[in-house]
Amino acid sequence: MIFIIIAALLVALGGYLLRRGDLIGFFLMFLRDENLTRQDLTFTLCGIALNILAIILWQHSSKYNIQFQIAWSIYLSLSLLFGYIFGYIFERNRLEINFYIGAALVIGGLIILMKK
């Protein structure tokens, strides 16, 4: 279960770094003579590396005796919640009532899923 939580955290952080960098510019760099700034390249490569590490952790978590439906629901829900939290912390996005209602529904759904 801890690998699923860490994988969701790494996906959210990697997604933030990819938004901060320039993923499309990174791939176009190989096709055209286009240069990226050092900062954009660093953010993009770190975001890709964190997402690959999250994939490895997700694959490693499949070795444990957790039902796929529960593991997948937890992973997606936590990725969404961590993504919003990172957006709030780093990008200064406002968390409005929709976030709180959605978070309550996600947590409630996970509790109901765990009880079954």
Side-chain angles (χ1 to χ4, degrees):
M1 182 75 85
I2 191 75
F3 290 119
I4 296 171
I5 295 169
I6 294 172
L9 184 67
L10 290 177
V11 163
L13 185 59
Y16 164 72
L17 290 175
L18 286 175
R19 283 192 309 274
R20 194 71 202 271
D22 188 10
L23 185 62
I24 295 173
F26 176 74
F27 287 115
L28 290 178
M29 181 174 69
F30 298 110
L31 299 175
R32 292 190 242 165
D33 191 24
E34 192 171 313
N35 291 331
L36 289 178
T37 64
R38 179 178 223 102
Q39 183 180 11
D40 286 344
L41 187 61
T42 303
F43 283 137
T44 304
L45 290 176
C46 288
I48 291 170
L50 285 176
N51 279 296
I52 290 172
L53 183 60
I55 291 169
I56 292 169
L57 287 175
W58 171 255
Q59 291 297 323
H60 187 65
S61 71
S62 68
K63 295 178 183 176
Y64 297 101
N65 196 16
I66 300 173
Q67 290 181 359
F68 177 75
Q69 293 86 356
I70 294 174
W72 186 244
S73 298
I74 290 172
Y75 172 73
L76 290 178
S77 302
L78 288 177
S79 297
L80 181 67
L81 290 176
F82 287 146
Y84 276 123
I85 291 170
F86 282 135
Y88 176 73
I89 292 171
F90 296 121
E91 297 174 349
R92 301 292 182 216
N93 293 342
R94 292 185 345 192
L95 299 180
E96 297 182 9
I97 191 71
N98 295 338
F99 171 75
Y100 297 115
I101 292 172
L105 290 174
V106 164
I107 292 169
L110 288 175
I111 289 171
I112 291 171
L113 189 62
M114 295 289 234
K115 296 280 183 182
K116 287 187 176 183

